[in-house]
Amino acid sequence: MSETNAAAEVAAPHRYTAALAADIEARWQDFWDANGTYDAPNPGGDLTGDADVVARPKKFVMDMFPYPSGAGLHVGHPLGYIATDVYARYHRMTGHNVLHTLGFDAFGLPAEQYAVQTGTHPRVSTEANIVNMRRQLRRLGLGHDPRRSFATIDPDYYKWTQWIFLRIFNSWYDPEAKKARPIDTLAAQFASGERATPDGRPWDGLTEAERADILGEYRLAYASDAPVNWCPGLGTVLANEEVTADGRSERGNFPVFKAKLRQWNMRITAYADRLLDDLDALDWPEAIKLQQRNWIGRSEGARVDFPVQDHPDAKITVFTTRQDTLFGATYMVLAPEHDLVDSIVPAAWPEGTHDVWTGGHATPAAAVDAYRKQAAAKSDVERQAEAKDKTGVFTGAYAVNPVSGDRVPVFIADYVLMGYGTGAIMAVPAHDGRDFAFARAFELPMRCVVEPSDDRGTDPSTWDDAFASYDAKIVNSAGEGVSLNGLGVTEAKARITEWLEARSIGEGTVNFRLRDWLFSRQRYWGEPFPIVYDEDGVAHALPESMLPLELPEVEDYSPRTFDPDDADTSPETPLSRNEEWVNVVLDLGDGRGPRPFRRETNTMPNWAGSCWYELRYLDPHNSEQLVDPGTERYWMGPRDGQPHGGVDLYVGGAEHAVLHLLYARFWSKVLFDLGHVSSAEPFHKLYNQGMIQAYVYRDSRGIAVPAAEVEERDGAYWYEGEKVTRLLGKMGKSLKNAVTPDEICAEYGADTLRLYEMAMGPLDVSRPWDTRAVVGQYRLLQRLWRNVVDEATGEVSVVDAEPDEDTLRALHKAIDGVRQDMAGLRFNTAIAKITELNNHVTKVREVPRSIAERLVLLIAPLAPHIAEELWRKLGHDASVVHEPFPVADPAYVVDETVTCVVQVKGKVKARLEVAPSVSDEELEAQALGDPAVVAALNGAGIRKVIVRAPKLVNIVPA
Ligand code: ANZ
C-alpha cells in the first residue's frame, strides 16, 4: 500500500477497498449458501417450495457447462457465466421463478491422458479439478441453485445416460408416423406378417440372431462395421484430421490403415428433416442455424440409373441435383471404393483407349489398384478441396447415357466421395466446375445443354470454365421421347424426373449430407455401454435394474500398441483388459435364467453426457424416472412463442454450433417421440458470447514471454531488456498470458471483476482483456459506496428528503434504459447508464434515500455483493436478490426539454430550453423576449423571423 493510500485509509476507514470487498463478498456468499437464496422451487415431486414462487412465470437460464480442466479458470472462461447470472438475477427481480445452476462435463480425454502419464485414476484427478473449479466459480458470486449441480461422471447421472441409450437402442423410426416408436412395435409387424421379412421367410422361422440382424437395420442405436483409420503403432483409431496426407499418423509418424471396426452408431439421419424444419421456430443466431442447415445439407435431386455396357446385370446409380443436364453427361465417375468397380473392370484396355486415361498402367485392374492406394491416403477434406488438378483413372468400362444413348466412359476419381449420395456421379463438364477441370485434364468431350447468358457461345471447347447457372434455358437436349429444349431449369428438372420415373430408370429424391453419428470410442474415461453379447454375438440391453453399469477398475489406461506395419491387428480397448468385468453370467430377466455374456468394451463418446443435462437440472435426484413429467412440463414445456419448448436462454461459445447442439436436439426428439418429455427441442433461445482475447508478447525467436512481466516504454514493449512484439490472441497457459479470476478478485473483488467483464463491450463480440482498465469499474463501486455510506463513520449518509426534479429524471431514464438493456443482454450499455446515474448522484450533496435505494437495486444483478451490503445498511432485512427491480415512471422518462438555438443575423445569441412540443408562435414570442436577444437587436426593428420549432429561431433585423 502506498503512503497516500495509507493516509486515506486513516481518514476514511470505511472506504470501499479490496479488503472490504473481500469481507463483504465472503459474508454474503456464506449467507446465500446458508439460506438457499438461489434455490428454485419445482411445482411438484422433489425440490418443491414456495407455491407463490412456483406460480410466477418461469425462466430457465443455462450455460454450456465446463470441462473441469486441471488448469482451472482464466478470466476468459466466466464471461458467459457472469452474463447468464446477471440475466438470471434480473429475472428474479422482475418476478420470475428462475432456474440457474451449473454442472460439469467431466468425461474426456485430458484426464485419461493424465492417467496414462501418471497412473492417477481419471476420477481422482477430475474430482480434484471440480473442487478447484467450484471454488473459483463460487468466488465470483454466481447465483446457482447448488442442489441441482452434478457432474456427468456421477454414476447416478450416467445411469440415466445409459438408460436413454437403451431407449434409443430399443426404438426405430417409423417413417409413416414420422417418429420414433418402441422396437417391439416393429417386431410385432414382422410377427403378424404386416411387414415382410427381407427374404420373405416367416418371423417365427428365423433364429434369434437372424431376427436381431433384421431389427438392427432399424434400431436408432445400432452396431455396424464402420471404416476407420487404424494405427497399430499407436494402438488407436485416429480421426481424419490426425492422419497426414501420406497416410501416416501425425503423432509418431506410424502407418495408418483403413480398417473396418464394429462400432455403435446413432441413426440421426432418420431425423434429418425434423432437425431442419424445427430450426425455424428457434430463437437462435441466424449464423448458427445456417451452419446446422449446411451440416444437415438437404439436397433435392434425382437418382438416375445408367446401364453398363457388356454387363446386362449392372447399372450405375448416380445422385444428381441437376437432372436437367442429363443430356450433357459425357462421362461418369465412381468413388474409388465403390463396390461396382471390381465387377466392371475388363481384362484389357478397350480399343482406342486414350493414353492419358490409363495412368501409364498396362491393364485397367493395375490402374485401378494403384489409384485406390493413392486415394486411400487422402482425407475426405483433401479430396474435396477445390484443387484444379483433378486426378483419376479410366476403369476400362463404358456406360450408356439413358437419354442421349451415348456411350460414356466410366472413371474412378477421388473427387467423388463414397459417403455421399450414391458414391457415383454423372459428369456434366460443361456445367460443373469440377467436371470441367477433370474433362480438360483427361481430354473428355463436353456438351453445352444450358444456354450461356454471356457471350461465350455454345462450344465448351472454347471456354475457360464451366457455365454453372440455375437461371437459363435448356438447349441441345432432345432425345427419343423427351425434349427439354427451351425449358427453364426447374421445369426441365420436373419434366425429366417424370420421364425417368415413368420408365423406372430414376426417381426424384432428397439427399442429406448428414451422416449417422459414430457413437463408440476405444477409451476408458467414458460411459460404459449397457449392452452385453450372448454366445451367438447377439446384443442384449441390460435391464434397468442393472443400471448404472459402473466403470470397472483397470490396471492400465493406455491403449495396446502393435507392430506398426501389422495391419491385421485391431484395437484393444482398456475395458477389454478387465476379463472379470467383461465375462459375466447374468440373468437378464427374459425368462431364460442366468447365461454367460460378454460386455461391450467400447465407451460412449464425449458428447453423450451433454446431450440431455438440461433435463437433469430439473429433477437432479430422481432415481425412479429420468425426470418427473410435471416438473419437465413446467420448466421446458411448449408455450406461446416457444412451440417446441426448451430452455429459455442457453449461452455458450459458437464453436458448438453444430455437433453438440445437433446431438442434443436429436436426443430430445427421440425422448419426445417416446413420451418421456414434452419438449421436442432442448434450447429455445441460444446466444453465443464473444471471446476474451489477450495480448501475446513474443521475443525475437517468436517464443511467447510472460505477459505479466512485459513493460511498456515509449510505445514499445520490453521483456528482460529485450524488445518484444505484441499481438492479440487467445488467452491461455501456453501463450503465457492467462489472467485468473482469483488474481483479479484478490486485487479488486468479484463485483469489480463482474462489472469489468460485462462492461468490456457487447456480449457477443470478442474483446481484449486489459488488466489496467479493471480499476475503472472499481472506482464506480467506490463512488457508489460513498454515495450511501460515510467513509469516516461507516454510517449510512442518505437523507429522507424528496429528490429534485433533475435527479428524478436521471433516475427514471436510467431505470427505463437499464430494464431494456438487461432484457436484451446489453449489459455494457446498462453499466454505462448506471454509471451516469451514479455520477449524477455524486454531485447531489445529500443523497435522498429513495434514489440511493433504487441505485442499489439497479446494480444488484451486476454487483450482487455490494448491493446486498448496501441494502442491509439501508435498513432492509431481506436479501436484495428477490426485491422487485425498480420501475420507471414514464412521466420522467420523456425528454422534457430540448435546446432551441436563437440566432440574430445568423449569429447564435441565446439558447432556450423548451418543450419538444412547443408551437412556432410560442417559440417566436419566447425568443423575442429573451434578454440576450433584446440586447443584440438593440432597438432595431425586425424584418423577418424564421421559426423551426423546437430547435431554431432565426431573426433578421430590419
Ligand atoms: C450432375 C451435375 C451437373 C451436378 C451440374 C452438379 C452440377 P449437393 O448440392 O452438394 O448435394 N455429387 C453427387 N454425389 C457426389 C459424390 N459422392 N461426391 C462428389 N460429388 C457428388 O451436390 C450434388 C452434386 O454433387 C450432384 O449433382 C453431383 O454432381 C455431385 F451442372 O450431378 B451433379
Side-chain angles (χ1 to χ4, degrees):
M1 195 186 290
S2 72
E3 266 174 53
T4 44
N5 272 353
E9 197 93 326
V10 176
H14 298 280
R15 174 164 296 180
Y16 183 78
T17 60
L20 181 57
D23 168 58
I24 292 174
E25 290 172 1
R27 253 191 300 114
W28 283 103
Q29 284 161 12
D30 290 344
F31 174 92
W32 296 331
D33 278 352
N35 291 278
T37 305
Y38 304 107
D39 290 0
N42 278 345
D46 193 23
L47 306 186
T48 49
D50 192 339
D52 285 347
V53 179
V54 173
R56 296 175 187 172
K58 63 93 189 183
K59 209 65 165 180
F60 185 1
V61 182
M62 204 173 132
D63 299 282
M64 290 186 186
F65 63 170
Y67 174 76
S69 138
L73 297 177
H74 62 60
V75 289
H77 293 121
L79 178 68
Y81 307 152
I82 297 172
T84 52
D85 190 53
V86 175
Y87 188 79
R89 287 175 181 276
Y90 172 70
H91 281 90
R92 272 189 209 103
M93 296 177 76
T94 50
H96 294 77
N97 184 16
V98 177
L99 199 170
H100 188 45
T101 190
L102 193 71
F104 296 90
D105 191 14
F107 279 122
L109 210 47
E112 182 161 331
Q113 280 163 344
Y114 186 72
V116 170
Q117 285 158 20
T118 64
T120 314
H121 195 289
R123 176 170 294 285
V124 173
S125 57
T126 306
E127 283 177 350
N129 295 345
I130 290 177
V131 168
N132 181 46
M133 247 195 200
R134 277 195 199 283
R135 178 191 59 76
Q136 286 189 300
L137 291 167
R138 184 176 187 275
R139 183 69 187 86
L140 299 174
L142 302 172
H144 293 153
D145 182 342
R147 307 166 307 165
R148 297 177 185 265
S149 180
F150 55 81
T152 52
I153 56 171
D154 300 344
D156 60 355
Y157 179 79
Y158 72 66
K159 163 183 172 172
W160 294 102
T161 309
Q162 293 171 331
W163 183 90
I164 297 171
F165 174 84
L166 290 181
R167 297 278 86 62
I168 299 174
F169 172 70
N170 275 324
S171 39
W172 64 297
Y173 195 81
D174 181 344
E176 245 132 69
K178 291 202 169 64
K179 60 181 241 182
R181 298 176 61 199
I183 196 79
D184 294 347
T185 59
L186 179 71
Q189 289 182 5
F190 282 121
S192 71
E194 181 189 340
R195 185 182 285 267
T197 59
D199 62 6
R201 283 185 295 157
W203 189 247
D204 278 355
L206 303 180
T207 65
E208 192 188 356
E210 285 170 330
R211 287 187 201 170
D213 280 347
I214 293 173
L215 294 181
E217 296 292 316
Y218 292 85
R219 289 182 191 274
L220 286 179
Y222 62 96
S224 75
D225 290 322
V228 292
N229 303 307
W230 166 231
C231 178
L234 290 175
T236 175
V237 166
L238 299 175
N240 284 337
E241 301 76 53
E242 298 168 316
V243 184
T244 62
D246 55 351
R248 302 179 78 88
S249 61
E250 201 162 55
R251 187 161 54 95
N253 197 31
F254 293 112
V256 175
F257 303 93
K258 284 259 186 249
K260 287 205 165 169
L261 198 65
R262 192 111 185 120
Q263 306 235 54
W264 283 94
N265 299 275
M266 292 266 168
R267 210 178 296 279
I268 189 171
T269 49
Y271 281 84
D273 266 322
R274 281 170 61 188
L275 288 169
L276 211 52
D277 293 346
D278 289 354
L279 277 176
D280 293 343
L282 298 182
D283 184 2
W284 286 19
E286 269 315 310
I288 303 280
K289 287 191 184 183
L290 187 65
Q291 284 185 64
Q292 292 234 337
R293 288 197 183 102
N294 289 342
W295 189 265
I296 297 168
R298 184 177 197 276
S299 294
E300 272 181 40
R303 288 181 189 229
V304 185
D305 297 335
F306 284 60
V308 184
Q309 252 192 1
D310 306 327
H311 292 273
D313 297 337
K315 59 175 189 207
I316 300 174
T317 304
V318 302
F319 170 70
T320 176
T321 47
R322 291 302 299 270
Q323 59 270 38
D324 54 307
T325 63
L326 187 49
F327 282 92
T330 53
Y331 68 99
M332 304 190 76
V333 184
L334 301 181
E337 309 85 348
H338 199 290
D339 278 344
L340 214 57
V341 177
D342 289 327
S343 58
I344 61 172
V345 167
W349 293 116
E351 197 74 33
T353 296
H354 211 305
D355 276 351
V356 289
W357 294 6
T358 65
H361 292 279
T363 62
V368 163
D369 201 43
Y371 188 75
R372 276 187 176 158
K373 286 214 172 78
Q374 179 189 328
K378 285 199 203 167
S379 72
D380 281 3
V381 177
E382 288 170 304
R383 285 173 57 162
Q384 278 184 303
E386 288 294 324
K388 278 282 171 219
D389 47 336
K390 293 274 172 281
T391 64
V393 73
F394 182 40
T395 61
Y398 282 90
V400 180
N401 182 319
V403 283
S404 67
D406 288 350
R407 200 172 82 119
V408 293
V410 180
F411 279 70
I412 56 171
D414 63 10
Y415 77 96
V416 173
L417 301 178
M418 194 55 226
Y420 189 67
T422 59
I425 66 159
M426 65 179 211
V428 184
H431 306 294
D432 178 276
R434 293 167 304 175
D435 298 346
F436 186 92
F438 190 89
R440 268 286 145 84
F442 289 88
E443 298 175 31
L444 286 156
M446 303 195 202
R447 173 165 167 169
C448 172
V449 294
V450 183
E451 191 170 46
S453 49
D454 48 25
D455 56 6
R456 61 172 77 200
T458 54
D459 177 6
S461 69
T462 66
W463 298 355
D464 295 331
D465 54 12
F467 175 71
S469 171
Y470 280 89
D471 190 20
K473 283 205 161 19
I474 303 297
V475 292
N476 238 336
S477 296
E480 260 174 72
V482 63
S483 169
L484 305 178
N485 289 338
L487 299 180
V489 168
T490 315
E491 299 156 277
K493 278 189 184 181
R495 173 81 57 88
I496 192 72
T497 306
E498 208 178 288
W499 188 87
L500 292 165
E501 284 176 354
R503 276 152 197 80
S504 301
I505 50 175
E507 57 176 351
T509 59
V510 175
N511 190 62
F512 291 95
R513 193 163 291 276
L514 184 67
R515 297 279 79 103
D516 278 345
W517 169 20
L518 183 63
F519 196 73
S520 35
R521 301 288 184 272
Q522 296 75 51
R523 305 267 184 228
Y524 174 74
W525 193 226
E527 298 88 346
F529 281 85
I531 291 284
V532 290
Y533 299 94
D534 66 21
E535 284 169 323
D536 298 324
V538 175
H540 295 265
L542 287 183
E544 199 178 320
S545 60
M546 291 185 190
L547 304 184
L549 172 62
E550 294 202 37
L551 264 175
E553 297 300 319
V554 297
E555 266 167 29
D556 185 0
Y557 307 101
S558 46
R560 170 156 171 223
T561 56
F562 299 89
D563 172 355
D565 295 307
D566 189 354
D568 290 333
T569 47
S570 53
E572 184 184 284
T573 64
L575 295 193
S576 68
R577 296 198 196 118
N578 186 332
E579 286 286 334
E580 259 174 59
W581 182 81
V582 173
N583 298 301
V584 282
V585 173
L586 298 173
D587 182 348
L588 298 185
D590 51 6
R592 295 158 76 171
R595 291 191 287 153
F597 292 99
R598 239 188 105 70
R599 291 192 197 276
E600 171 62 60
T601 64
N602 283 297
T603 51
M604 295 188 199
N606 244 327
W607 308 103
S610 57
C611 273
W612 72 280
Y613 70 120
E614 72 284 358
L615 297 173
R616 190 66 179 172
Y617 285 152
L618 307 180
D619 198 7
H621 313 127
N622 201 333
S623 56
E624 300 301 313
Q625 314 175 75
L626 179 71
V627 54
D628 172 74
T631 300
E632 189 275 333
R633 217 175 310 112
Y634 174 83
W635 289 110
M636 293 280 289
R639 56 205 66 216
D640 255 5
Q642 305 188 3
H644 309 297
V647 173
D648 299 290
L649 177 68
Y650 189 39
V651 173
E655 67 276 14
H656 290 300
V658 180
L659 299 181
H660 157 59
L661 290 171
L662 205 59
Y663 297 154
R665 296 182 61 212
F666 164 56
W667 279 35
S668 278
K669 292 191 182 306
V670 179
L671 291 172
F672 171 78
D673 286 355
L674 297 175
H676 299 295
V677 295
S678 69
S679 49
E681 286 285 341
F683 312 116
H684 174 70
K685 182 179 170 71
L686 175 73
Y687 190 94
N688 299 123
Q689 87 275 16
M691 274 226 300
I692 290 190
Q693 299 169 309
Y695 288 111
V696 186
Y697 299 89
R698 295 183 190 275
D699 64 16
S700 54
R701 295 166 304 160
I703 310 281
V705 303
E709 291 161 42
V710 170
E711 287 172 52
E712 185 180 352
R713 249 183 289 131
D714 318 322
Y717 302 95
W718 305 85
Y719 172 69
E720 293 185 340
E722 199 202 329
K723 201 166 167 178
V724 292
T725 60
R726 186 180 90 155
L727 267 178
L728 211 49
K730 273 181 97 157
M731 183 177 282
K733 239 185 178 172
S734 59
L735 294 174
K736 301 196 184 126
N737 60 0
V739 178
T740 65
D742 312 54
E743 296 164 50
I744 303 298
C745 286
E747 196 159 344
Y748 299 107
D751 281 336
T752 296
L753 173 64
R754 293 170 60 105
L755 275 175
Y756 175 66
E757 295 221 354
M758 293 300 97
M760 286 170 85
L763 187 58
D764 56 352
V765 172
S766 293
R767 67 284 304 277
W769 177 266
D770 181 4
T771 299
R772 283 165 309 182
V774 177
V775 71
Q777 299 303 325
Y778 180 57
R779 300 234 166 88
L780 165 66
L781 294 180
Q782 287 188 315
R783 279 195 302 274
L784 169 71
W785 183 262
R786 216 177 292 136
N787 282 335
V788 183
V789 178
D790 183 325
E791 291 188 338
T793 63
E795 295 301 314
V796 168
S797 58
V798 299
V799 293
D800 286 315
E802 277 305 304
D804 60 52
E805 177 90 7
D806 241 19
T807 305
L808 281 175
R809 217 170 279 296
L811 171 75
H812 288 283
K813 276 177 82 170
I815 294 174
D816 183 54
V818 169
R819 274 188 167 257
Q820 292 177 34
D821 289 343
M822 289 272 179
L825 296 158
R826 291 183 301 273
F827 305 125
N828 57 325
T829 52
I831 292 170
K833 289 172 182 130
I834 294 171
T835 306
E836 205 181 311
L837 174 64
N838 193 48
N839 289 347
H840 177 101
V841 173
T842 306
K843 285 182 241 137
V844 176
R845 239 193 306 120
E846 298 197 304
V847 179
R849 163 179 294 275
S850 63
I851 298 291
E853 292 199 336
R854 279 177 281 184
L855 187 54
V856 167
L857 292 171
L858 278 182
I859 208 168
L862 291 151
H865 310 89
I866 192 173
E868 287 278 32
E869 186 73 7
L870 291 175
W871 194 244
R872 179 61 57 92
K873 280 188 177 292
L874 284 162
H876 302 279
D877 287 340
S879 156
V880 78
V881 168
H882 296 283
E883 285 299 318
F885 203 73
V887 179
D889 179 345
Y892 292 106
V893 173
V894 282
D895 263 318
E896 195 88 331
T897 62
V898 290
T899 305
C900 173
V901 173
V902 186
Q903 298 178 332
V904 177
K905 271 204 263 178
K907 290 208 177 90
V908 177
K909 293 295 170 190
R911 289 194 165 80
L912 307 174
E913 291 303 310
V914 297
S917 56
V918 68
S919 68
D920 285 6
E921 299 74 46
E922 225 182 302
L923 197 57
E924 182 174 336
Q926 229 180 306
L928 292 173
D930 187 89
V933 174
V934 172
L937 285 171
N938 198 16
I942 292 162
R943 192 149 64 120
K944 202 158 87 181
V945 181
I946 303 156
V947 184
R948 297 272 176 279
K951 292 262 167 95
L952 179 81
V953 179
N954 195 355
I955 303 166
V956 187

